[in-house]
């Protein structure tokens, strides 16, 4: 999945906590949110608009939680496990490892795989 498709998918599914999200969908969206945050912070500092950062943070909060839950579903974990990230350092490490882990290639309790395996992905 490319960056544009990822962002469109996450915005269209901004409050959809069901299903699964591929690694590329998750990481591309997180990159866009991170870069957007930096841009908003620079603009906020330059113009003195502190409210702009708050508006941006609130705008991306639900889509970020949603794609994070779907990403955890892809590795067959409940979306509630993202709360472990509230534990400083150890929780962050665990959640990042889970987000980076390859999703299951078969259907699980959360639905069909986010990424389909093609014959070219199989290495003998």
């Amino acid at each position: 999945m490319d960056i544009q498709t990822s962002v469109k998918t996450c915005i269209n599914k901004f409050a959809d906590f069901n299903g699964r999200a591929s690694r590329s969908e998750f990481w591309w969206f997180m990159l866009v949110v991170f870069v957007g945050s930096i841009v908003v912070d620079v603009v906020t500092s330059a113009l003195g608009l502190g409210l702009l950062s708050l508006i941006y943070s609130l705008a991306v909060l639900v889509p970020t939680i949603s794609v994070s839950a779907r990403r955890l579903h892809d590795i067959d974990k409940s979306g509630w496990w993202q709360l472990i990230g509230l534990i400083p350092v150890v929780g962050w490490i665990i959640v990042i490892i889970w987000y980076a882990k390859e999703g299951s290639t078969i259907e699980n309790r959360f639905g069909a795989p986010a990424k389909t395996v093609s014959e070219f992905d199989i290495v003998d």
Side-chain angles (χ1 to χ4, degrees), residues 64-75:
T64 300
I65 294 171
S66 172
V67 74
S68 298
R70 291 194 316 271
R71 178 70 205 120
L72 289 173
H73 290 172
D74 198 38
I75 61 167

Side-chain angles (χ1 to χ4, degrees), residues 10-75:
C10 290
I11 297 301
N12 289 336
K13 294 182 169 185
F14 79 97
D16 184 5
F17 296 89
N18 300 314
R20 295 164 67 168
S22 66
R23 281 188 294 184
S24 60
E25 176 184 343
F26 174 80
W27 287 111
W28 280 124
F29 184 72
M30 287 301 170
L31 177 65
V32 168
V33 168
F34 179 73
V35 170
S37 178
I38 291 172
V39 169
V40 168
D41 286 345
V42 167
V43 170
T44 298
S45 296
L47 301 177
L49 301 172
L51 189 60
L52 188 61
S53 288
L54 177 65
I55 292 169
Y56 178 77
S57 296
L58 290 175
V60 297
L61 179 65
V62 173
T64 300
I65 294 171
S66 172
V67 74
S68 298
R70 291 194 316 271
R71 178 70 205 120
L72 289 173
H73 290 172
D74 198 38
I75 61 167

